[in-house]
Amino acid sequence: MWGAFSALPTTLYDYPDPMVYVVWSLTMLIPAWFSLRGKKFDRSRTAAGYGLAIGLTGAGGQLLLFKALTIGPAYVIFPIVALSPAITVLMAFGLLRERLGALSWAGVVLALAAIVLFSVSTDTSESNGWLYLLLAVLICVAWGVQAFFMRKAALAGVDDASTFGWMTISGLVLIPVALLMMGGLPLDFPWQAPALTAGTQVLNAVGALFLVMAMSRGKASIVAPVTNALAPVLTIVLSLAVFGARPSVFQVAGIVLALAGSTLMVYRAEKSGEAELVGAAR
């Protein structure tokens, strides 16, 4: 839901997209308080290292995402972002020397085909077309790296509350970057702009906490495909239904291939991750 409506403050009130990031980072404090209440915050070097790596890649991706959503359609951006498991899979292959099964390679091939279709459907006469496509790919890379570190943090025994706490800190750390992008704090906007932003982004923050909790409590091979495939589907459906957009044939094909590739890759990768966790527990 938050993905479909994140661009509304900018569209309706010309609210700067970096301010959307600032409001999002502040809303992260709400679920962080609930998650850490009554629990010990892990300040160890291991937790801090993985937590900041997870948080900075996630927050950096968010900063780019809010810009992308102001210049490009959510129904194209989110399927590309959903291909982030390709980055995670390839990092595991290259850095951890993990063997990849047929499903993983099939997912990578579908991901590449989806990117080609989105590129073909992009209007090359407008610079914004290439810009939002490039930003979507960069977000995909950032969140793929984030997922890799999330997996490593789980194997290292870092609890989900501490991980989310470090994610919140990382989001706040990048606020000065957002302010520099705007040249200062804008004050000449109606109250509806930050209010609408806060209402939308609190869904984003709570969803992030639910994801971290679900990944630590449930089977990753079930949780990850649901969040990587079904979440973009909901965003796409809402975006198309509410804003009345009509994707091209190439875009529809790209959306289908992206979601299929994401599901195949993340299912295979998380099944492998579950095996690692069982081995570590033993």
Side-chain angles (χ1 to χ4, degrees):
M1 291 180 65
W2 66 263
F5 300 111
S6 283
L8 278 182
T10 302
T11 303
L12 297 177
Y13 305 106
D14 289 329
Y15 204 47
D17 52 87
M19 273 306 299
V20 178
Y21 173 86
V22 172
V23 174
W24 164 77
S25 62
L26 293 174
T27 62
M28 288 282 284
L29 291 167
I30 300 172
W33 182 82
F34 281 101
S35 66
L36 289 167
R37 188 177 55 174
K39 296 181 181 179
K40 183 179 178 181
F41 181 50
D42 191 346
R43 298 179 177 85
S44 67
R45 183 176 297 179
T46 299
Y50 282 123
L52 289 174
I54 293 167
L56 290 174
T57 50
Q62 290 282 2
L63 189 58
L64 296 177
L65 176 65
F66 296 134
K67 177 63 177 178
L69 288 173
T70 62
I71 59 176
Y75 63 84
V76 170
I77 293 168
F78 275 89
I80 296 175
V81 173
L83 296 174
S84 59
I87 306 301
T88 309
V89 166
L90 293 175
M91 287 183 70
F93 177 72
L95 299 179
L96 303 180
R97 296 292 186 266
E98 288 188 6
R99 296 180 60 185
L100 301 185
L103 287 180
S104 295
W105 285 118
V108 171
V109 171
L110 291 179
L112 293 174
I115 294 294
V116 170
L117 288 172
F118 286 129
S119 299
V120 170
S121 65
T122 300
D123 186 357
T124 57
S125 64
E126 298 182 5
S127 59
N128 279 351
W130 286 112
L131 180 57
Y132 80 73
L133 198 62
L134 175 62
L135 290 175
V137 171
L138 291 176
I139 298 161
C140 171
V141 172
W143 287 0
V145 174
Q146 181 193 41
F148 177 81
F149 284 120
M150 274 188 177
R151 183 173 170 185
K152 296 288 288 182
L155 290 172
V158 181
D159 65 280
D160 56 355
S162 295
T163 295
F164 193 81
W166 285 110
M167 289 170 64
T168 303
I169 292 171
S170 302
L172 297 173
V173 165
L174 291 184
I175 286 180
V177 177
L179 294 177
L180 284 173
M181 292 171 63
M182 294 183 292
L185 185 65
L187 301 174
D188 55 343
F189 289 95
W191 65 266
Q192 291 93 335
L196 179 59
T197 302
T200 303
Q201 295 311 315
V202 75
L203 297 176
N204 186 354
V206 172
L209 174 60
F210 285 166
L211 172 61
V212 173
M213 293 172 64
M215 291 294 284
S216 68
R217 288 167 170 75
K219 286 189 174 183
S221 58
I222 296 175
V223 174
V226 168
T227 55
N228 273 272
L230 291 187
V233 167
L234 180 57
T235 300
I236 292 164
V237 170
L238 285 173
S239 179
L240 294 176
V242 174
F243 301 107
R246 294 184 179 181
S248 67
V249 174
F250 285 119
Q251 288 174 333
V252 171
I255 290 169
V256 172
L257 291 181
L259 296 178
S262 172
T263 303
L264 290 177
M265 285 182 291
V266 80
Y267 179 78
R268 175 66 180 82
E270 297 305 339
K271 285 293 287 185
S272 175
E274 285 173 10
E276 289 182 34
L277 286 172
V278 171
R282 289 177 178 172

